[in-house]
Amino acid sequence: MAKGSLWIGLVLAMSLVFTGCAGKEKTDEEKLKEAIQKSLETSLAEGAATAEEPPSVESKLGEIQNFVTSDIWNEGFVNISWYANSGTGSTGETLDIDFVIERLGKAMEKKAEYDTYVQGLDAKYDDVKQVWTKLSGEIDTLYAKLKENPPKAEDPSYEFDTGPFKQYSEAFSSDVEALDSK
């Protein structure tokens, strides 16, 4: 959009120059310079306004949903579950469990920001907030268990129940997707 405005402004400015009187070259050059400058200023202002717009609530919740799926589940909990049962990650590769837990710790810092964001939403999003509260609490519970008692490879006695996490995660995803369809 901004580039289109710039080109339209340049074309209009050039038209003014080419249709002007031959005796007024200095004035036409000044007009061209002013038209180009105004066009650039307009384009930059439109681009700056677009760049500063905050994401919609729906897109931010979609970002949070992707974070839970990718950073918490795919990179964390599913690999931890597999490691305790089989001694490998979820796709059969060897796994540095300490590194997985360390990375999960970094994700937990980001989750804290998302907690604040979701709790700050207005009443329109109460259903999503309620599910997020359950999901966030379950993430905290599982992470605390990992910090307190990290799993050992192929330890059938290690209990790491991700059932409630999956239940809340699926509900959160469904609620977020339902917002997009309204």
Side-chain angles (χ1 to χ4, degrees), residues 118-129:
V118 172
Q119 292 311 316
L121 295 175
D122 63 36
K124 174 183 174 185
Y125 301 97
D126 279 351
D127 290 342
V128 172
K129 288 167 65 171

Side-chain angles (χ1 to χ4, degrees), residues 5-20 25 27-40:
S5 298
L6 175 64
W7 286 110
I8 290 171
L10 288 173
V11 168
L12 288 173
M14 294 298 288
S15 311
L16 290 172
V17 170
F18 291 128
T19 58
E25 275 186 54
T27 304
D28 289 341
E29 288 174 5
E30 289 173 351
K31 286 181 183 179
L32 176 60
K33 182 178 177 182
E34 288 175 16
I36 291 171
Q37 183 150 0
K38 283 182 185 179
S39 180
L40 283 172

Side-chain angles (χ1 to χ4, degrees), residues 94-152:
T94 57
L95 195 66
D96 178 347
I97 195 66
D98 294 328
F99 182 72
V100 171
I101 294 171
E102 177 185 321
R103 298 295 293 178
L104 193 55
K106 290 181 181 186
M108 293 300 287
E109 293 171 14
K110 191 172 188 178
K111 185 189 90 51
E113 294 172 22
Y114 289 147
D115 284 338
T116 301
Y117 178 81
V118 172
Q119 292 311 316
L121 295 175
D122 63 36
K124 174 183 174 185
Y125 301 97
D126 279 351
D127 290 342
V128 172
K129 288 167 65 171
Q130 180 184 22
V131 174
W132 175 257
T133 299
K134 288 183 172 288
L135 175 58
S136 179
E138 188 61 21
I139 292 168
D140 291 342
T141 298
L142 290 170
Y143 181 67
K145 177 175 179 62
L146 291 170
K147 293 294 288 180
E148 184 179 305
N149 181 23
K152 293 178 181 39

Side-chain angles (χ1 to χ4, degrees), residues 158-170:
Y158 190 78
E159 292 183 28
F160 193 72
D161 183 8
T162 60
F165 167 84
K166 287 190 259 183
Q167 180 183 9
Y168 303 146
S169 179
E170 288 169 5

